[in-house]
Amino acid sequence: MSRLRRDLRMERATHRIEGTPRPRFDLAAMLAATPAAAGRLRRDPRGEERLALVPGTLRRRLDRTQRVAASAVAAPAAAVAEMAPKLVVIAEPAYLVAVVPDAPGGRLTPHDRQVIGAARLLADAGGGAVLALGEMPGEDLAAAGVDRVLGLPVAGYDPEARAALLHAVLDGLDIRHALLPESADGADLARRLAALTGETLFAGAESLTAKAVTRAAQGRRIEQRRAPPRLITLAADASAPHGGAPHEAIPVVFALPALMPGAILSAEFVPADPARVGLDEADFVVSAGNGVRDFTAFRALVEALNATPGASRMVCDAGLMPRAAQVGASGTVLDARCYFALGIAGAPQHLQGVARCEHVVAVNTDLHAAMIERAGLAIVADAQKVMPALIEALTGALAVEAQP
Amino acid sequence: MRIAILLSAGRHAVSGRPAPVSVELQAIRLARELIRQMAGEVDGNAAGDITGFHAGPDAGPLKDALGHGLPRLIQLSIGAQDDPLPSLAAALGAERFDLVLAGRSGQGGEDAGLLPYALARTLGLPIVADACALAAGPQHGTVSLEQALPRGARRRLTLRLPALVTVHPAAPAPLPFAFAAMRRGMLETREGVPAPRAAGEVEERAYRARPKLIAKSAAGASATERLKAATEAASSGGRLIVDPAPEDAARAILAHLRQIGVLRD
Ligand SMILES: Cc1cc2nc3c(=O)[nH]c(=O)nc-3n(C[C@H](O)[C@H](O)[C@H](O)COP(=O)(O)OP(=O)(O)OC[C@H]3O[C@@H](n4cnc5c(N)ncnc54)[C@H](O)[C@@H]3O)c2cc1C
């Protein structure tokens, strides 16, 4: 209503070129003068395409998400990092960020690495250093991004004593944040520590920056957000592990207090029964594909290896294994430490189910199968021949052990 | 054996309606079975009793817990925003309980699972987390319990009583609901200790699911490369043996499995 009606005839008439018998108009000048041109920008599709062109590829490729532009800026920074000394040394830390990894058997879990990555974030924001508490080999910690290490000498399973030692460390050193994984043992330890110190615990943080942490509450209906407090536990897959140069991981000296005996009189670890645990919880999965024909031998092998049985979709479709045993995108995504694939080609849908497995062993007749490429130990051989040999080696080894 | 069970006002995981928390109902079952086992051993009426405690404005859906096998529930009446810790500490401190059971974490409140630890500290009790089975211990005044660990593993502990134990969802499912048991169960209301919570520096907003971290691929990589990065995480270099004798293959596989520590013997 309020917009003026344009009179196009009148506009054209003002651009009439005089002195020609036929009426002629200067349309270029008219286009430049139209108010519309000033209001909304005209798109330049060709220019956009030029920007999106990915350099250095044989075929012409366009990247419309503009990630190439970002990487082109990041590349010189990486070059600088390579020139810098290999080891990052923080000689005079402004403060410490303590991390208590679970490290079952002295090895860092992926969750531990993520927690150390988050601690690195908090430490780097103000010139602090990351202090790992617990007994672990140094190289592992250095690569994960740890500056200082302090052992907690606790024999056996005694979380009470561990919490008491941690409490002493937190009191004695200049520790600004203490981060623990929200795993079975880490969560327990963090809550003990919170009860001992009387501090608030930010439990199960799902995102972490130097300015704010968030967590879910009220049955995942509410998100709580605040500045990072001193005690934080971090949920799995909430933070990226440290990806830069290794840090020094040097031991620090600290006088730990003496310990009192706790209420736990005995503790005994009972390994999981592989026949009972679900595929998603299993630690070691042995899986059969289309290349396995002798399923009696396969089942005997699974039992002899004390593993959980799995299968590819071809095998489940054929009804040779139950559907619950299917590994892959439309089956179960494994969280196992080791995956042993017998006669499996390694289709992308299958490999997605194995993505989180640390070790893969494959037996296949095809040298060019994707599973062979993925495997840490790949054997190009007939599964029907390898399976009986394995069973024999296992039972033979047991018999040899039983003799003396 | 006197057992106390802490019950919280939960919300159903899907509907969001007020409901008892499932692990706390599982705790009721563990307690009943422990007492039945002890009654079998001692034979007689010295078996023990189970009491539920809830601190909150009203018992509401927790009456269902009576139907799941809890004989007696004591509600400590406090305001909706009050801290339940002082009320529970006073009520549990007044009576001598051998074993206090609690859920691993609530569902519908703060959900931090911190209350059992704070309570254990106030009462001076030792605490053990994540029990999924309870049994009478080898000596008098002990229980042996199984602690649930990730990947289906367990840890068997012997614990000196009195103690506080939190229950893991891997414990046996709750006893089925029985209407008559709910009618029979006793519900008692007592005054709690009012303890207004100090306003924290926590900011609350509606929950928004965050994307989980996935393996990052190189910037500007093609679709195949990104799929590769998603499917081929941490390939460990790789040793390839072509056409070995079956025995050699078996030996190599077993050596590798032993080296990475998955094969126990
Ligand atoms: C939507 C969709 C979802 C899918 N989801 C899944 C899923 O979740 N899980 C899944 O597994 N698949 C899934 N698939 C199927 C997947 O694409 C493959 O078809 C399937 O994984 C192939 O199974 P395979 O490797 O056992 O069989 P094949 O592809 O037939 O491979 C058999 C392999 O065994 C080898 N072999 C043959 N004989 C021997 C021998 N004597 N000794 C040793 N090796 C031998 C061969 O060289 C070959 O590499 C899905 C497919 C689709 C379309």
Side-chain angles (χ1 to χ4, degrees):
Chain A
M1 301 289 140
S2 56
R3 201 152 61 137
L4 277 177
R5 210 186 159 104
R6 281 175 63 188
D7 186 347
L8 296 176
R9 263 173 223 281
M10 275 288 288
E11 274 175 30
R12 198 171 61 155
T14 52
H15 292 286
R16 178 158 185 170
I17 297 169
E18 301 295 333
T20 49
R22 288 175 64 199
R24 288 191 61 222
F25 303 95
D26 184 1
L27 291 183
M30 181 180 152
L31 210 62
T34 43
R40 190 145 59 101
L41 278 178
R42 239 187 127 96
R43 276 188 60 199
D44 179 7
R46 275 173 219 278
E48 282 170 22
E49 226 170 79
R50 238 175 287 122
L51 273 179
L53 203 62
V54 176
T57 51
L58 283 180
R59 287 173 60 199
R60 187 178 133 85
R61 281 212 335 103
L62 299 180
D63 180 10
R64 306 224 183 248
T65 55
Q66 295 291 309
R67 267 170 304 170
V68 172
S71 77
V73 176
V80 169
E82 240 167 285
M83 304 243 288
K86 276 278 177 235
L87 200 71
V88 182
V89 177
I90 299 178
E92 296 279 324
Y95 54 89
L96 292 173
V97 179
V99 177
V100 191
D102 283 342
R107 294 188 57 200
L108 295 179
T109 62
H111 195 173
D112 288 338
R113 287 179 199 281
Q114 292 165 6
V115 174
I116 294 173
R120 224 14 313 138
L121 206 83
L122 291 177
D124 289 343
V130 175
L131 166 71
L133 298 162
E135 259 109 43
M136 284 141 292
E139 320 84 76
D140 212 11
L141 285 174
V146 169
D147 300 302
R148 306 278 189 275
V149 188
L150 176 59
L152 296 179
V154 177
Y157 175 70
D158 193 354
E160 220 166 317
R162 258 168 82 89
L165 288 185
L166 268 181
H167 183 35
V169 173
L170 246 60
D171 268 356
L173 295 176
D174 174 25
I175 290 178
R176 189 175 289 182
H177 302 286
L179 259 67
L180 291 94
E182 179 77 9
S183 55
D185 283 347
D188 180 46
L189 196 59
R191 285 163 179 79
R192 281 174 198 274
L193 201 56
L196 271 179
T197 56
E199 287 175 39
T200 54
L201 166 71
F202 201 80
E206 293 188 340
S207 78
L208 181 139
T209 61
K211 290 216 181 66
V213 278
T214 66
R215 71 180 286 266
Q218 303 193 4
R220 307 191 90 72
R221 262 159 243 282
I222 293 259
E223 182 180 87
Q224 295 182 334
R225 185 189 179 85
R226 60 166 295 174
R230 196 150 98 118
L231 279 182
I232 302 172
T233 64
L234 200 68
D237 294 339
S239 179
H242 173 64
H247 286 243
E248 44 182 352
I250 47 171
V252 285
V253 189
F254 184 78
L256 291 163
L259 293 171
M260 309 285 273
I264 295 174
L265 302 176
S266 76
E268 173 200 358
F269 181 78
V270 188
D273 176 7
R276 230 181 38 183
V277 299
L279 211 49
D280 52 344
E281 269 199 328
D283 188 42
F284 177 27
V285 177
V286 176
S287 206
N290 215 6
V292 171
R293 281 180 300 278
D294 184 359
F295 275 84
T296 341
F298 173 68
R299 291 210 183 83
L301 175 62
V302 169
E303 196 160 324
L305 282 173
N306 203 10
T308 311
S312 78
R313 182 172 152 182
M314 298 295 264
V315 171
C316 294
D317 280 355
L320 293 164
M321 289 285 283
R323 181 64 75 194
Q326 183 177 325
V327 172
S330 48
T332 307
V333 176
L334 301 183
D335 206 10
R337 199 146 44 104
C338 180
Y339 184 69
F340 184 6
L342 287 154
I344 295 182
Q349 294 92 352
H350 190 86
L351 285 181
Q352 277 174 33
V354 196
R356 271 184 281 167
C357 297
E358 198 179 332
H359 305 283
V360 174
V361 179
V363 175
N364 200 313
T365 43
D366 178 8
L367 175 61
H368 304 288
M371 205 69 202
I372 292 281
E373 194 185 329
R374 166 73 172 83
L377 173 64
I379 309 254
V380 179
D382 189 342
Q384 266 60 239
K385 297 212 179 93
V386 173
M387 284 194 295
L390 268 173
I391 296 171
E392 187 156 322
L394 278 167
T395 47
L398 289 182
V400 167
E401 263 169 39
Q403 267 172 11
Chain B
M1 176 77 120
R2 305 197 61 207
I3 303 182
I5 297 178
L6 308 184
L7 295 160
S8 63
R11 282 187 177 274
H12 193 270
V14 178
S15 70
R17 288 164 59 87
V21 178
S22 152
V23 265
E24 294 165 0
L25 300 180
Q26 290 175 303
I28 297 175
R29 174 173 189 169
L30 286 185
R32 298 241 334 191
E33 284 175 358
L34 178 61
I35 283 194
R36 186 167 329 132
Q37 188 199 357
M38 293 199 146
E41 278 172 13
V42 188
D43 91 298
N45 44 16
D49 65 316
I50 306 176
T51 316
F53 285 91
H54 169 64
D58 73 322
L62 291 181
K63 288 190 195 111
D64 282 5
L66 298 173
H68 285 285
L70 184 70
R72 180 158 161 251
L73 173 63
I74 296 176
Q75 182 222 337
L76 307 163
S77 178
I78 54 169
Q81 296 305 319
D82 282 5
D83 186 1
L85 178 62
S87 310
L88 290 173
L92 291 173
E95 297 176 63
R96 240 191 55 71
F97 286 102
D98 297 306
L99 184 61
V100 183
L101 294 180
R104 185 168 199 259
S105 77
Q107 185 172 50
E110 192 80 357
D111 299 357
L114 207 54
L115 179 89
Y117 290 85
L119 189 62
R121 174 115 184 105
T122 318
L123 295 173
L125 294 178
I127 180 166
V128 168
D130 295 345
C132 63
L134 283 179
Q139 296 119 38
H140 183 70
T142 60
V143 282
S144 72
L145 60 87
E146 259 182 35
Q147 198 178 30
L149 299 178
R151 297 194 167 160
R154 301 279 185 265
R155 198 186 274 132
R156 209 166 283 143
L157 302 175
T158 310
L159 184 68
R160 185 153 26 78
L161 297 176
L164 200 155
V165 171
T166 68
V167 176
H168 191 267
L175 293 171
F177 178 81
F179 186 70
M182 185 180 76
R183 293 292 302 271
R184 207 164 44 234
M186 283 188 294
L187 176 64
E188 188 184 326
T189 306
R190 292 186 195 162
E191 260 327 294
V193 182
R197 247 188 273 238
E201 45 201 302
V202 176
E203 179 192 328
E204 296 198 334
R205 54 172 81 170
Y207 184 72
R208 178 170 64 86
R210 281 165 201 283
K212 288 230 168 185
L213 289 180
I214 52 166
K216 278 200 200 90
S217 61
S222 68
T224 29
E225 283 160 41
R226 270 179 276 134
L227 180 67
K228 266 199 175 154
T231 51
E232 292 179 19
S235 190
S236 49
R239 196 151 70 90
L240 181 67
I241 307 179
V242 181
D243 263 337
E247 290 71 36
D248 293 342
R251 222 166 295 131
I253 292 172
L254 291 185
H256 184 74
L257 293 180
R258 290 218 171 84
Q259 189 205 335
I260 60 183
V262 288
L263 202 63
R264 287 180 293 262
D265 32 26

mmCIF file of all heavy atoms in Angstrom, chain A residues 11 13 26 35 72 111 142 151 214 224 244 272 279 289 294 306 315 329:
data_model
loop_
_atom_site.group_PDB
_atom_site.id
_atom_site.type_symbol
_atom_site.label_atom_id
_atom_site.label_comp_id
_atom_site.label_asym_id
_atom_site.label_seq_id
_atom_site.Cartn_x
_atom_site.Cartn_y
_atom_site.Cartn_z
ATOM 1 N N GLU A 11 9.987 5.609 -16.762
ATOM 2 C CA GLU A 11 11.403 5.354 -16.489
ATOM 3 C C GLU A 11 12.168 5.140 -17.784
ATOM 4 O O GLU A 11 13.275 5.631 -17.953
ATOM 5 C CB GLU A 11 11.548 4.097 -15.613
ATOM 6 C CG GLU A 11 11.431 4.404 -14.143
ATOM 7 C CD GLU A 11 11.455 3.132 -13.317
ATOM 8 O OE1 GLU A 11 12.085 2.145 -13.733
ATOM 9 O OE2 GLU A 11 10.815 3.141 -12.240
ATOM 10 N N ALA A 13 11.328 6.232 -20.705
ATOM 11 C CA ALA A 13 11.328 7.457 -21.493
ATOM 12 C C ALA A 13 12.463 8.393 -21.080
ATOM 13 O O ALA A 13 13.028 9.099 -21.916
ATOM 14 C CB ALA A 13 9.980 8.158 -21.345
ATOM 15 N N ASP A 26 18.773 3.721 -23.649
ATOM 16 C CA ASP A 26 20.028 3.283 -23.028
ATOM 17 C C ASP A 26 19.681 2.364 -21.841
ATOM 18 O O ASP A 26 19.568 2.804 -20.699
ATOM 19 C CB ASP A 26 20.816 4.507 -22.553
ATOM 20 C CG ASP A 26 22.174 4.092 -22.000
ATOM 21 O OD1 ASP A 26 22.466 2.863 -22.023
ATOM 22 O OD2 ASP A 26 22.913 4.964 -21.520
ATOM 23 N N PRO A 35 16.165 1.211 -8.518
ATOM 24 C CA PRO A 35 16.348 1.071 -7.073
ATOM 25 C C PRO A 35 16.496 -0.387 -6.651
ATOM 26 O O PRO A 35 17.168 -0.691 -5.675
ATOM 27 C CB PRO A 35 15.082 1.692 -6.484
ATOM 28 C CG PRO A 35 14.092 1.734 -7.595
ATOM 29 C CD PRO A 35 14.858 1.794 -8.865
ATOM 30 N N ALA A 72 42.692 -24.036 3.761
ATOM 31 C CA ALA A 72 43.774 -23.275 3.153
ATOM 32 C C ALA A 72 44.356 -22.294 4.165
ATOM 33 O O ALA A 72 45.540 -22.029 4.183
ATOM 34 C CB ALA A 72 43.253 -22.521 1.929
ATOM 35 N N HIS A 111 38.044 -43.081 26.307
ATOM 36 C CA HIS A 111 37.372 -42.116 27.177
ATOM 37 C C HIS A 111 38.408 -41.316 27.985
ATOM 38 O O HIS A 111 38.299 -40.098 28.126
ATOM 39 C CB HIS A 111 36.421 -42.876 28.107
ATOM 40 C CG HIS A 111 35.420 -42.000 28.789
ATOM 41 N ND1 HIS A 111 34.399 -42.495 29.544
ATOM 42 C CD2 HIS A 111 35.278 -40.666 28.838
ATOM 43 C CE1 HIS A 111 33.674 -41.506 30.010
ATOM 44 N NE2 HIS A 111 34.186 -40.378 29.603
ATOM 45 N N ALA A 142 52.303 -38.956 27.545
ATOM 46 C CA ALA A 142 52.899 -37.820 26.853
ATOM 47 C C ALA A 142 52.161 -37.562 25.543
ATOM 48 O O ALA A 142 51.829 -36.428 25.211
ATOM 49 C CB ALA A 142 54.372 -38.096 26.604
ATOM 50 N N GLY A 151 51.794 -40.713 40.799
ATOM 51 C CA GLY A 151 51.189 -42.028 41.037
ATOM 52 C C GLY A 151 50.356 -42.017 42.306
ATOM 53 O O GLY A 151 50.642 -41.285 43.251
ATOM 54 N N THR A 214 28.174 -27.968 30.159
ATOM 55 C CA THR A 214 26.741 -28.249 30.195
ATOM 56 C C THR A 214 26.534 -29.708 30.548
ATOM 57 O O THR A 214 27.398 -30.551 30.307
ATOM 58 C CB THR A 214 26.065 -28.000 28.837
ATOM 59 O OG1 THR A 214 26.568 -28.955 27.911
ATOM 60 C CG2 THR A 214 26.311 -26.612 28.338
ATOM 61 N N GLN A 224 21.725 -27.997 32.024
ATOM 62 C CA GLN A 224 22.310 -27.074 32.987
ATOM 63 C C GLN A 224 23.628 -26.583 32.442
ATOM 64 O O GLN A 224 24.393 -27.342 31.858
ATOM 65 C CB GLN A 224 22.538 -27.778 34.324
ATOM 66 C CG GLN A 224 21.253 -28.212 34.976
ATOM 67 C CD GLN A 224 21.492 -28.851 36.318
ATOM 68 O OE1 GLN A 224 22.554 -29.401 36.574
ATOM 69 N NE2 GLN A 224 20.504 -28.781 37.180
ATOM 70 N N GLY A 244 47.613 -32.670 19.163
ATOM 71 C CA GLY A 244 48.833 -31.936 18.825
ATOM 72 C C GLY A 244 50.103 -32.667 19.206
ATOM 73 O O GLY A 244 50.112 -33.896 19.341
ATOM 74 N N ALA A 272 33.671 -61.323 32.303
ATOM 75 C CA ALA A 272 32.340 -61.556 31.752
ATOM 76 C C ALA A 272 32.270 -62.919 31.094
ATOM 77 O O ALA A 272 33.245 -63.397 30.527
ATOM 78 C CB ALA A 272 32.028 -60.471 30.739
ATOM 79 N N LEU A 279 26.163 -58.602 22.182
ATOM 80 C CA LEU A 279 27.191 -58.280 21.198
ATOM 81 C C LEU A 279 27.726 -56.864 21.395
ATOM 82 O O LEU A 279 28.908 -56.605 21.197
ATOM 83 C CB LEU A 279 26.568 -58.414 19.805
ATOM 84 C CG LEU A 279 27.462 -58.832 18.661
ATOM 85 C CD1 LEU A 279 28.273 -60.037 19.023
ATOM 86 C CD2 LEU A 279 26.628 -59.104 17.441
ATOM 87 N N GLY A 289 31.400 -64.940 7.968
ATOM 88 C CA GLY A 289 30.790 -64.356 6.786
ATOM 89 C C GLY A 289 30.429 -65.434 5.790
ATOM 90 O O GLY A 289 30.427 -66.628 6.111
ATOM 91 N N ASP A 294 31.546 -74.257 7.223
ATOM 92 C CA ASP A 294 31.516 -75.270 8.268
ATOM 93 C C ASP A 294 31.158 -74.598 9.597
ATOM 94 O O ASP A 294 32.022 -74.102 10.311
ATOM 95 C CB ASP A 294 32.902 -75.930 8.338
ATOM 96 C CG ASP A 294 32.917 -77.065 9.340
ATOM 97 O OD1 ASP A 294 31.864 -77.293 9.973
ATOM 98 O OD2 ASP A 294 33.974 -77.699 9.489
ATOM 99 N N ASN A 306 36.883 -68.488 23.627
ATOM 100 C CA ASN A 306 36.185 -67.801 24.715
ATOM 101 C C ASN A 306 35.705 -66.427 24.247
ATOM 102 O O ASN A 306 35.907 -65.421 24.917
ATOM 103 C CB ASN A 306 37.109 -67.662 25.916
ATOM 104 C CG ASN A 306 36.326 -67.492 27.188
ATOM 105 O OD1 ASN A 306 35.108 -67.658 27.183
ATOM 106 N ND2 ASN A 306 36.988 -67.135 28.255
ATOM 107 N N VAL A 315 25.102 -64.139 6.204
ATOM 108 C CA VAL A 315 24.958 -65.348 7.013
ATOM 109 C C VAL A 315 23.632 -65.312 7.785
ATOM 110 O O VAL A 315 22.921 -66.320 7.860
ATOM 111 C CB VAL A 315 26.165 -65.458 7.964
ATOM 112 C CG1 VAL A 315 25.963 -66.561 8.973
ATOM 113 C CG2 VAL A 315 27.422 -65.706 7.157
ATOM 114 N N ALA A 329 25.898 -51.912 10.175
ATOM 115 C CA ALA A 329 25.037 -50.731 10.251
ATOM 116 C C ALA A 329 23.608 -51.104 10.628
ATOM 117 O O ALA A 329 22.965 -50.421 11.419
ATOM 118 C CB ALA A 329 25.046 -50.015 8.921
#
